[in-house]
């Protein structure tokens, strides 16, 4: 909602009927602000009501899922980031500076509402009713996009094709399959932040019009790259080339590059087709991620009672995780595991020095290791004691370091640093 109590977006219910609640929420925020403090969370029985204030925009989430309040706030921050990507931070502030009571829905339109709605669904992929894989939620939990596993030769072909685009006004070239990152290229001194990349992934999966068009051209703000200005995105699903789930995205700083980038798209798609990389991406997207069994059978030192783990490269903020094996094939148990990962992630600060935290519960034991190169969270069965979990994870880490390119984790994109 706006600071004037005007509705902007709600996931559930009708904005007009919720107007009285918006007024109460704004009053609470303003009352605490007048006391020289910031309202962050209200605890009411088994409910948590998280608040986030960003200039003229107030964001509120009420939840009884048991998620940590810090994670609820993180989801609200992603929603604000998505809002900025549509209107820019400067645009938001300008609108409300001119008219405090402006109804922002007039600017968002149906497409803006769809972007926000799709984002909330992606962050909530662990719900029983969701058709999205749990890794989609993990991406937003850890602020790191999930990577598509590919053979090294296929990834090299993708990298070569993207690098073949010669355009000085091209800022980023990104290849995405479903909700997973395949590869991106960027100028040497220009970073592509993980949050911006997740915004791009959400954008292309929010509208069916992108899939039916041979090439779409849309203004877009990447909040961590430049929150006050738009860049321009050329978006094309490669259905014409036999890969309907693969999307090529070019980000340009210029608004007159549509035709040049359209020609570049055709060139890149043909290279991917001729090298068979496009077919391998489609195949990889349909098959599950590598299993814990593959890691065990490879002799990489993972204990037999390890059911799941998540590896995040803190250097580039990208994650890789195996598919779920019993007992975590049940979505209710996957929800419990996600809650445990949330607690472990919040307990392990993203510090440069290496740190380890062990959490032991009735049904599972978690070991989280945070270092300069990356973070691991490993899930063991409840029979495992803390020392066993720690020893197994350290052994697994050592074996990954020694295994080189043979380890399944090394099928993640080249930009992921595992050692």
């Amino acid at each position: 909602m706006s600071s004037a109590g005007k509705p902007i977006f709600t996931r559930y219910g009708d904005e007009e009927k919720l107007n009285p609640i918006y007024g109460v929420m704004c009053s609470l925020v303003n009352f605490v602000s007048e006391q020289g403090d910031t309202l962050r969370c209200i605890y009411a029985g088994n409910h948590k009501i998280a608040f986030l204030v960003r200039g003229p925009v107030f964001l509120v989430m009420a939840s009884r899922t048991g998620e940590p309040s810090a994670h609820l706030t993180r989801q609200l921050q992603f929603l604000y980031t998505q809002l900025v990507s549509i209107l820019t931070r400067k645009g938001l502030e300008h609108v409300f500076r001119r008219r405090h009571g402006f109804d922002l829905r007039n600017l968002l339109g149906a497409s803006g509402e769809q972007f926000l709605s799709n984002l909330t669904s992606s962050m909530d992929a662990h719900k029983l009713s969701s058709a999205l894989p749990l890794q989609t939620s993990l991406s937003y939990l850890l602020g790191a996009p999930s990577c598509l596993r590919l053979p090294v030769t296929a990834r090299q072909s993708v990298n070569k094709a993207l690098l073949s685009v010669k355009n000085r006004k091209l800022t980023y070239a990104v290849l995405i399959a479903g909700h997973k990152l395949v590869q991106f290229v960027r100028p040497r001194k220009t970073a592509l932040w993980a949050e911006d990349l997740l915004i791009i992934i959400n954008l292309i999966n929010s509208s069916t019009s992108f899939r039916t068009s041979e090439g779409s051209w849309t203004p877009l703000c990447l909040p961590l790259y430049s929150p006050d200005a738009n860049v321009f995105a050329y978006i094309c699903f490669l259905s014409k080339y036999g890969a309907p789930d693969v999307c090529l995205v070019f980000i340009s700083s210029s608004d007159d590059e549509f035709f040049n980038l359209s020609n570049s798209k055709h060139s890149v798609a043909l290279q991917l087709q001729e090298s068979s990389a496009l077919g391998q991406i489609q195949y990889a997207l349909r098959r599950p991620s590598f299993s814990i069994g593959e890691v065990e059978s490879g002799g990489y030192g993972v204990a037999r009672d390890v059911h799941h783990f998540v590896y995040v490269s803190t250097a580039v903020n990208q994650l890789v995780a195996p598919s779920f094996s019993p007992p975590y094939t049940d979505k209710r148990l996957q929800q419990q595991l996600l809650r445990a990962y949330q607690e472990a992630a919040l307990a392990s600060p993203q510090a440069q020095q290496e740190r380890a935290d062990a959490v032991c519960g009735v049904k599972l034991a978690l070991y989280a290791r945070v270092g300069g190169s990356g973070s691991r969270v490993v899930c063991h069965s409840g029979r495992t004691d803390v020392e066993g979990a720690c020893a197994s994870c350290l052994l697994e880490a050592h074996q990954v370091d020694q295994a080189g390119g043979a380890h399944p984790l090394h099928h993640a994109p080249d930009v992921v640093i595992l050692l």
Side-chain angles (χ1 to χ4, degrees):
M1 72 202 77
S2 70
S3 56
K6 289 284 187 178
I8 296 175
F9 169 78
T10 179
R11 184 178 187 189
Y12 301 112
D14 184 281
E15 285 104 339
E16 300 300 331
K17 293 181 180 178
L18 291 173
N19 259 327
I21 295 180
Y22 290 137
V24 172
M25 297 297 185
C26 284
S27 298
L28 288 171
V29 172
N30 291 328
F31 176 78
V32 175
S33 178
E34 288 172 1
Q35 311 304 312
D37 209 340
T38 302
L39 182 58
R40 300 187 184 280
C41 191
I42 295 175
Y43 296 85
N46 63 346
H47 286 76
K48 294 177 185 176
I49 307 174
F51 292 79
L52 182 68
V53 177
R54 289 291 180 262
V57 179
F58 295 172
L59 299 102
V60 184
M61 178 186 293
S63 170
R64 58 177 180 179
T65 59
E67 296 172 82
S69 57
H71 181 60
L72 300 180
T73 305
R74 186 183 186 89
Q75 293 181 63
L76 293 177
Q77 178 60 45
F78 267 114
L79 276 173
Y80 175 73
T81 303
Q82 179 67 71
L83 191 62
V84 170
S85 78
I86 301 168
L87 300 172
T88 76
R89 185 180 62 185
K90 185 177 180 180
L92 275 172
E93 293 174 351
H94 176 71
V95 163
F96 288 117
R97 190 164 51 246
R98 290 186 62 189
R99 291 177 58 190
H100 183 62
F102 183 77
D103 190 341
L104 200 63
R105 291 174 297 178
N106 295 330
L107 286 180
L108 283 177
S111 58
E113 185 176 344
Q114 182 59 38
F115 295 152
L116 293 168
S117 180
N118 193 72
L119 178 61
T120 58
S121 298
S122 298
M123 292 190 293
D124 215 11
H126 56 281
K127 285 189 67 174
L128 297 179
S129 58
S130 176
L132 295 172
L134 185 67
Q135 278 195 8
T136 308
S137 281
L138 284 173
S139 292
Y140 292 97
L141 162 66
L142 299 170
S146 181
C147 307
L148 185 70
R149 182 187 180 188
L150 275 182
V152 174
T153 53
R155 195 171 303 286
Q156 289 173 342
S157 298
V158 173
N159 195 49
K160 182 180 178 182
L162 294 179
L163 287 172
S164 69
V165 180
K166 305 300 181 184
N167 188 320
R168 291 184 179 182
K169 295 180 180 179
L170 181 65
T171 308
Y172 306 117
V174 188
L175 196 66
I176 298 165
H179 286 81
K180 293 190 174 186
L181 171 67
V182 179
Q183 188 81 322
F184 71 83
V185 297
R186 59 176 177 81
R188 188 179 299 275
K189 295 183 180 180
T190 305
L192 176 54
W193 299 90
E195 288 85 350
D196 286 344
L197 188 52
L198 287 169
I199 288 296
I200 294 171
I201 292 174
N202 180 64
L203 170 70
I204 67 169
N205 284 286
S206 295
S207 176
T208 55
S209 63
F210 291 136
R211 292 182 176 272
T212 55
S213 172
E214 290 193 7
S216 301
W217 186 246
T218 182
L220 171 70
C221 174
L222 298 178
L224 274 76
Y225 171 71
S226 179
D228 296 326
N230 278 323
V231 291
F232 299 87
Y234 178 86
I235 301 169
C236 182
F237 278 86
L238 303 182
S239 307
K240 181 180 176 181
Y241 303 90
D245 299 314
V246 180
C247 183
L248 180 61
V249 181
F250 292 130
I251 304 293
S252 174
S253 56
S254 174
D255 62 355
D256 59 358
E257 287 298 301
F258 175 82
F259 294 106
N260 290 334
L261 293 177
S262 180
N263 293 332
S264 297
K265 175 263 299 184
H266 182 65
S267 173
V268 169
L270 287 179
Q271 290 182 62
L272 295 176
Q273 208 173 34
E274 290 168 1
S275 64
S276 302
L278 212 51
Q280 292 184 68
I281 293 170
Q282 277 289 118
Y283 174 73
L285 192 60
R286 286 193 293 267
R287 67 192 293 260
S289 181
F290 64 91
S291 66
I292 280 288
E294 288 182 66
V295 184
E296 287 181 8
S297 62
Y300 300 110
V302 179
R304 292 184 180 276
D305 54 2
V306 173
H307 294 305
H308 195 260
F309 66 87
V310 178
Y311 183 93
V312 180
S313 167
T314 53
V316 291
N317 285 332
Q318 294 172 17
L319 72 84
V320 62
S323 56
F324 289 100
S325 58
Y328 291 103
T329 48
D330 181 85
K331 198 146 190 177
R332 292 185 185 276
L333 292 178
Q334 291 178 17
Q335 285 180 321
Q336 294 177 15
L337 183 58
L338 179 67
R339 297 287 177 263
Y341 280 152
Q342 287 172 331
E343 296 288 352
L346 292 173
S348 301
Q350 297 298 313
Q352 289 300 316
Q353 69 272 19
E354 187 158 310
R355 170 191 169 128
D357 292 302
V359 181
C360 202
V362 176
K363 295 185 178 180
L364 56 83
L366 285 179
Y367 176 80
R369 180 177 181 228
V370 179
S373 61
S375 304
R376 295 179 185 83
V377 183
V378 180
C379 172
H380 297 254
S381 69
R383 297 186 301 274
T384 307
D385 59 11
V386 173
E387 291 78 10
C390 294
S392 174
C393 186
L394 289 171
L395 179 58
E396 177 246 346
H398 173 73
Q399 294 290 353
V400 169
D401 291 349
Q402 297 299 318
H407 196 283
L409 293 182
H410 285 268
H411 288 284
D414 300 332
V415 291
V416 173
I417 303 169
L418 296 177
L419 300 183

